[in-house]
Amino acid sequence: MIFGCYALFDLLSSLVFGKYLVYIGAKFMFIAGIFVSGGVTILFGVLDQVPDGPIFITMCFLVRIVDAISFSAAITASDSILAKAFPNNVATVLGSLEVFSGLGLVLGPPLGGFLYQSFGYKVPFIFLGSIVLLMIPLNICILPNYESDPGEHSFWKLVTVPKVGFISFVIISFSSCFGFLDPILSLFVLQKFDLPAGYVGLVFLGLALSYAISSPLFGLLSDKMPHRRKWFLVFGNLITAGCYMLLGPAPVLHIESQLWLLVLILVINGISAGMSVIPTFPEILSCAYENGFEEGLSTLGLVSGLFGAMWSVGAFIGPMLGGFLYEKIGFEWAAAIQGVWALISGLAMGLFYLLEHSRRRRSSKPQNIICTEEEQTALLSDEI
């Protein structure tokens, strides 16, 4: 519950910050978000000094909740600032930033483990929180101030656009796939392959590195070929579904589980994640503009908040569902069921795009016009 409350409050606060981004100001929201997040990260390192019992539990909840709220403020504002600063290269910029998300996933566990073993519980949190706080003066100097008038549209109107609803389902699906692996993949690897605990983190390395490397590529392709974004979403989900079927692998496939196969599947999964996740933001943004949303920070805030909220829903569902299924039916079947979710979202997205394409083709066909005999007479005489 302590870890799950983070995703829940990230969801709620993303919607609020996305709606009121224009009133608060994107730059101020970002700076304030990272300031509070850095501070509570340091506070997390001193929780071991709190008395045991209800006080300790309450403080854990409080610190996690405040961290979730501040993080969602920073992410919502940063996505909006980037989309405003680079309107023609949104996917490329967001994809490039995912390189650093991947590096954080790669470097975080070994660096945190080293600091914990060398200096104790407090130092990893104080070190990380201090780095975040040191970034504040740099961002104050570099980030531009963007002013915009409040928009008249709401989250409800954005979500009720059919295409946005389907893409939101894709975001939830992929976020839950990532969250699914967090609590149980390490347990499965330790139990199945009898690896030392220090080597388990290397298994996750394939997923993080492949995602970090592929994200900029798919971001660039999404901007250069926007008409291909829809198929990146579809095929990324279908490939992910296949990956989760083979992750165990599913017992119905009668394939023996091997470590090299597991690592290979995680690498492919990282690539398929980059293929599907990166195009979602520009796809929702272009869909919003097509449906009458005004261009500016107001719409960017709504899109950023929606993306963060849907990602939080998946981050909340994935670990809970994965942990429950792992206990009841084992990792192999649990991963296969998670793959079915990705399969459904991919097929639903593909069917929607096919129907949309068919509808546009019908509407673009020239209509048959009944002409009178006089209208059919040639304008120029045969002699000429």
Side-chain angles (χ1 to χ4, degrees):
M1 292 177 63
I2 290 172
F3 281 89
C5 73
Y6 185 95
L8 178 62
F9 279 85
D10 192 9
L11 159 67
L12 298 175
S13 54
S14 293
L15 296 175
V16 174
F17 288 131
K19 175 64 177 176
Y20 295 101
L21 176 72
V22 176
Y23 300 95
I24 300 173
K27 182 176 180 178
F28 176 79
M29 184 184 291
F30 178 74
I31 299 298
I34 61 175
F35 174 76
V36 176
S37 182
V40 295
T41 300
I42 294 175
L43 286 178
F44 211 97
V46 299
L47 284 181
D48 60 337
Q49 305 298 317
V50 177
D52 294 344
I55 297 178
F56 175 75
I57 297 297
T58 302
M59 290 302 299
C60 286
F61 272 109
L62 185 61
V63 168
R64 289 291 289 174
I65 290 170
V66 175
D67 194 19
I69 295 172
S70 60
F71 180 76
S72 69
I75 292 298
T76 301
S78 65
D79 287 345
S80 302
I81 291 171
L82 289 170
K84 180 70 174 178
F86 305 97
N88 299 320
N89 301 284
V90 175
T92 302
V93 174
L94 294 179
S96 299
L97 284 183
E98 288 305 302
V99 173
F100 299 95
S101 297
L103 288 175
L105 291 172
V106 170
L107 297 177
L111 180 60
F114 169 77
L115 292 174
Y116 175 77
Q117 291 180 351
S118 302
F119 304 103
Y121 172 79
K122 297 183 179 64
V123 172
F125 296 99
I126 295 174
F127 176 76
L128 181 60
S130 299
I131 290 179
V132 174
L133 293 177
L134 288 174
M135 294 295 102
I136 293 177
L138 183 64
N139 282 285
I140 291 176
C141 297
I142 292 177
L143 289 182
N145 277 310
Y146 291 118
E147 302 294 336
S148 180
D149 296 325
E152 57 184 19
H153 300 293
S154 63
F155 273 112
W156 179 247
K157 183 174 181 181
L158 181 61
V159 174
T160 52
V161 176
K163 184 190 289 188
V164 175
F166 278 101
I167 297 174
S168 298
F169 184 65
V170 170
I171 296 172
I172 295 173
S173 173
F174 255 95
S175 177
S176 69
C177 286
F178 278 137
F180 170 88
L181 298 175
D182 285 340
I184 63 175
L185 180 60
S186 58
L187 299 176
F188 172 72
V189 171
L190 288 170
Q191 177 185 358
K192 191 75 174 181
F193 304 108
D194 197 26
L195 288 178
Y199 287 90
V200 174
L202 297 178
V203 175
F204 285 90
L205 198 62
L207 174 65
L209 281 180
S210 59
Y211 177 69
I213 294 172
S214 63
S215 293
L217 173 62
F218 287 113
L220 181 63
L221 292 175
S222 296
D223 285 331
K224 296 296 183 183
M225 298 182 293
H227 58 286
R228 302 291 185 190
R229 283 198 299 247
K230 61 184 72 173
W231 302 118
F232 289 157
L233 287 174
V234 174
F235 288 111
N237 274 273
L238 297 180
I239 294 171
T240 298
C243 288
Y244 276 79
M245 295 291 182
L246 293 170
L247 203 56
V252 293
L253 300 177
H254 302 292
I255 300 175
E256 184 181 356
S257 180
Q258 300 183 55
L259 183 58
W260 69 267
L261 179 61
L262 177 68
V263 174
L264 176 62
I265 293 302
L266 288 175
V267 170
I268 298 174
N269 188 26
I271 296 172
S272 65
M275 184 185 297
S276 280
V277 173
I278 299 304
T280 53
F281 191 97
E283 191 74 357
I284 293 176
L285 190 59
S286 62
C287 182
Y289 291 152
E290 290 172 2
N291 284 272
F293 284 70
E294 64 276 2
E295 296 189 19
L297 271 182
S298 177
T299 300
L300 293 175
L302 290 177
V303 174
S304 300
L306 177 66
F307 182 91
M310 295 303 101
W311 190 269
S312 298
V313 171
F316 182 73
I317 295 175
M320 294 182 62
L321 179 64
F324 174 78
L325 293 176
Y326 179 78
E327 290 181 353
K328 297 297 182 181
I329 57 178
F331 180 83
E332 292 86 349
W333 279 114
I337 292 175
Q338 184 67 40
V340 171
W341 187 351
L343 179 65
I344 292 173
S345 64
L347 292 176
M349 198 80 241
L351 181 60
F352 174 82
Y353 279 129
L354 288 174
L355 293 174
E356 183 185 54
H357 179 68
S358 176
R359 187 167 58 250
R360 286 182 177 178
R361 285 190 64 183
R362 286 199 304 268
S363 63
S364 63
K365 284 184 178 180
Q367 298 180 352
N368 294 325
I369 301 175
I370 301 176
C371 303
T372 63
E373 182 178 349
E374 181 178 332
E375 290 172 328
Q376 294 174 350
T377 304
L379 294 178
L380 298 177
S381 65
D382 294 337
E383 296 176 0
I384 294 177

